[in-house]
Amino acid sequence: MTNSAGKLAARNKIAGGNRMELLLFRLKGRQLYGINVFKVKEIIPCPRLTSLPHHTAEVRGVAHVREGTISIVDLGMAIRQPPMQNPRESFVIVTEYNRRTQGFLVREVDRIVNIDWEEVHPPPKGSGKNSFLTAITQMDNQLIEIIDVEKIIASVDPFAHSVSSGILTEEIKAAASKFHILLVDDSSVARNQVERNLSETGVQFTSLTNGKEALDYLNNLADEGINICDQFLMIISDIEMPEMDGYTLTNRIKQDPRLSNLTVLLHSSLSGIFNEAMVKKVGANFFLAKYDADELARVVIGEITKAAGLKG
């Protein structure tokens, strides 16, 4: 087995078992923060930064890193902490989110840990809508705060969310109102993006925040004798979520005869060949990397067209 194939197999085993690898790092003080290792391309000492005008303050500059020039975001500033005083004495976590490569400036990198998603929980309800946390967990009696990177990216580098004109027809909009979609995502920013997309399409939707909540919801409906495929056109689910990830949710759905015919679209900022293998393994019907409004709309329109008996 080649080294790359071995890494792929190892990642399949971790994700398929409702587990994740978390990169831990510090910004100010002793507080530990984390992001999913799967999104990390490399960790490097902070290179020379070139300032650019008209960027938000959190973007400390751009740097030349291997494949080209990337923006370097001061992660402390992005979550409303003081700026990094000495960037050249800090580190950059180079990541790929939402089809983009960017670097996050941090004071120090701690270690990588392997953790069960069941041990990862939503942030306290009192965190408020301005919180940049997507989840919390504990290790060695220390709280680890997992950052909602999608929210940070949206705040420093917003991009278009609307469906392009010409994709939606009046026939589709009229048919869409008869259908219902279950949306599952722990990131408030990602949920809002998809909700806007579905609203433009005209379809009804119900939004939940993690895989366990979604599976309990579907099981309760099935226990009441409700036909899930009559109730929902499809489910659109994130992959990284506290308590139960999207891979595990999909696998549970496809293994339950009452739920197995439900169409599942996995929608994630994770991307690449690793996801293609996992999508097949768990039986998802579609996979889309976040976020392309038109691509998402086309999948939903395709399912509406089939269910409504319209001409494609």
Side-chain angles (χ1 to χ4, degrees), residues 242-261:
E243 300 190 343
M244 180 182 291
D245 67 17
Y247 293 133
T248 304
L249 171 62
T250 303
N251 186 58
R252 298 282 184 87
I253 287 172
K254 296 301 182 179
Q255 294 298 317
D256 188 331
R258 304 173 305 168
L259 311 177
S260 59
N261 290 327

Side-chain angles (χ1 to χ4, degrees), residues 225-244:
I226 294 172
N227 186 311
I228 297 301
C229 289
D230 289 344
Q231 184 78 7
F232 293 107
L233 175 71
M234 64 189 300
I235 178 171
I236 299 173
S237 176
D238 185 24
I239 291 177
E240 295 180 280
M241 295 180 289
E243 300 190 343
M244 180 182 291

Side-chain angles (χ1 to χ4, degrees), residues 147 188 235 260 310:
I147 292 177
S188 60
I235 178 171
S260 59
L310 303 176

Side-chain angles (χ1 to χ4, degrees), residues 18-181:
N18 200 35
R19 296 177 67 82
M20 70 178 296
E21 285 183 306
L22 201 62
L23 175 67
L24 305 184
F25 57 90
R26 289 185 172 88
L27 300 172
K28 292 281 186 179
R30 304 305 301 166
Q31 176 62 51
L32 279 173
Y33 298 90
I35 60 173
N36 195 327
V37 169
F38 289 172
K39 295 178 179 177
V40 176
K41 302 182 75 172
E42 61 180 321
I43 301 165
I44 58 175
C46 183
R48 186 174 67 87
L49 302 180
T50 302
S51 297
L52 288 179
H54 312 304
H55 273 67
T56 60
E58 295 92 333
V59 179
R60 298 293 293 269
V62 296
H64 294 286
V65 178
R66 295 188 188 276
E67 67 272 15
T69 302
I70 64 172
S71 296
I72 306 297
V73 178
D74 188 321
L75 199 49
M77 291 183 70
I79 63 171
R80 307 298 183 258
Q81 291 188 9
M84 203 70 63
Q85 293 300 316
N86 300 301
R88 293 303 298 271
E89 298 177 6
S90 305
F91 293 87
V92 170
I93 303 173
V94 181
T95 66
E96 183 178 354
Y97 279 84
N98 297 352
R99 311 183 188 212
R100 304 179 183 189
T101 299
Q102 55 278 307
F104 293 112
L105 188 65
V106 303
R107 179 168 60 87
E108 65 179 34
V109 174
D110 186 82
R111 65 193 189 276
I112 293 173
V113 297
N114 193 312
I115 193 167
D116 287 326
W117 273 113
E118 292 176 352
E119 298 172 4
V120 179
H121 306 289
K125 292 184 178 179
S127 300
K129 65 179 182 179
N130 293 322
S131 169
F132 282 89
L133 300 184
T134 190
I136 58 171
T137 189
Q138 276 196 331
M139 181 160 287
D140 301 328
N141 296 317
Q142 185 169 4
L143 179 70
I144 298 170
E145 299 184 345
I146 302 175
I147 292 177
D148 187 346
V149 180
E150 289 170 285
K151 185 171 183 176
I152 289 171
I153 292 174
S155 68
V156 301
D157 188 18
F159 51 94
H161 303 294
S162 298
V163 180
S164 299
S165 60
I167 290 180
L168 293 168
T169 66
E170 292 304 317
E171 183 182 36
I172 287 293
K173 289 182 180 180
S177 63
K178 303 180 180 67
F179 296 102
H180 200 138
I181 287 176

